[in-house]
Amino acid sequence: MSPIRLASLVLVSLSAGLLLGCPGTETPPGGSAGTGGTGGTGGMGGLGGMGGDGGMTTSSSGTGGALPMCTDFGDVTQSDCNLLAQDCEGANETCRPNSLGTGTVCEGGGGVKGVGAKCTASFGECAAGLYCVFGYCTPVCCQSEPAFFCGSAKCSVRINYGSKRIWTCNFAPSCTLFDGKECDEDTECRLTVLEDELALCVPPSGKFAAEGEPCDAINDCGEAQRCDSVCRYSCLNMGWQDLELGKGGCPAGQTCTPDTPLYGVCRP
């Protein structure tokens, strides 16, 4: 399986794990509450997407009962199986998009970990029907019906398969940009959701790009950077001239260009 990477708008990738969410106890769909966590993805193709509030859940998947009649879970053609219904007939099989997103396929190797359980980017830890996204097992979800699939977390992680995409739940913890003490040693604090000025603990994608080099996803870049077609440092609009690089300031010869009322990006 190829590593999944988040794209740019606010994109984030993952190869060792994934991203997103607000810290604290969250209520899972049809299960007991758990602690906030990150996401990772264990599907084929590249992953790109926006972060959102989330929390770790511990239920196996869904709320039980009939699936909502929603269609905003992505634009991958449902061919061999249905991504929401996860109707593969084989034991431990998960319905996934093919690498180009031109259809769906049933793949074996499902594990035993339920929704919100910690996982790595390796395939086979999460139960059938779930994906390992930002280090947590998650189902495919509809953005219009997040609670049904994600509990109190958001349906805000976009995974790209060729030119197509699907959405999954976001269980990654939030963090304080330019501080990041909330993140563990395997993740880095990055500004992930611009419109919410939300920073999240995101694992590296495994495709490292230095500052100024082309990137596809936020976690292709180093800590305190984001993917702006190339990797650029995030900065504080007020006082950036007096701040250190990676602490709100910019590299020599660059200026902090505002993106939100609080944050900007360093550009030549």
Side-chain angles (χ1 to χ4, degrees):
M1 308 297 294
S2 59
I4 296 174
R5 298 202 325 270
L6 292 184
S8 183
L9 272 174
V10 219
L11 301 188
V12 180
S13 37
L14 34 135
S15 69
L18 313 194
L19 49 85
L20 303 85
C22 288
T25 299
E26 303 287 351
T27 304
S32 58
T35 57
T38 65
T41 70
M44 297 172 62
L47 154 155
M50 303 189 305
D53 296 353
M56 180 176 171
T57 66
T58 55
S59 64
S60 57
S61 70
T63 58
L67 285 170
M69 299 296 291
C70 54
T71 59
D72 54 341
F73 57 87
D75 55 4
V76 173
T77 299
Q78 312 282 2
S79 55
D80 291 355
C81 54
N82 186 286
L83 292 168
L84 289 184
Q86 287 295 323
D87 53 359
C88 294
E89 296 182 359
N92 293 323
E93 286 189 334
T94 297
C95 182
R96 301 179 185 274
N98 62 32
S99 60
L100 298 178
T102 55
T104 53
V105 295
C106 289
E107 296 181 349
V112 297
K113 294 183 177 180
V115 174
K118 287 188 175 182
C119 58
T120 68
S122 59
F123 180 67
E125 290 185 54
C126 299
L130 303 179
Y131 297 61
C132 184
V133 178
F134 300 151
Y136 291 81
C137 296
T138 172
V140 178
C141 57
C142 288
Q143 292 189 292
S144 61
E145 298 279 354
F148 182 92
F149 302 94
C150 307
S152 55
K154 286 186 177 180
C155 177
S156 58
V157 181
R158 188 184 74 208
I159 305 177
N160 292 341
Y161 294 84
S163 62
K164 304 296 185 179
R165 66 183 181 181
I166 62 171
W167 292 94
T168 63
C169 304
N170 178 2
F171 298 132
S174 61
C175 55
T176 304
L177 192 63
F178 309 131
D179 180 5
K181 292 180 180 178
E182 303 91 340
C183 301
D184 61 34
E185 61 182 7
D186 297 323
T187 62
E188 296 174 335
C189 188
R190 297 178 175 86
L191 183 61
T192 308
V193 189
L194 283 177
E195 60 269 32
D196 294 335
E197 296 187 334
L198 179 63
L200 299 165
C201 296
V202 181
S205 68
K207 177 190 174 183
F208 178 75
E211 194 275 333
E213 293 184 347
C215 54
D216 296 316
I218 284 179
N219 52 342
D220 288 348
C221 306
E223 188 169 15
Q225 298 179 34
R226 68 179 184 85
C227 187
D228 186 45
S229 73
V230 298
C231 293
R232 296 295 186 196
Y233 278 95
S234 294
C235 51
L236 283 170
N237 295 330
M238 297 295 293
W240 65 269
Q241 302 93 332
D242 301 319
L243 298 172
E244 297 178 16
L245 185 63
K247 299 294 184 181
C250 290
Q254 296 188 19
T255 300
C256 186
T257 304
D259 277 333
T260 73
L262 181 59
Y263 298 116
V265 63
C266 298
R267 296 188 176 103

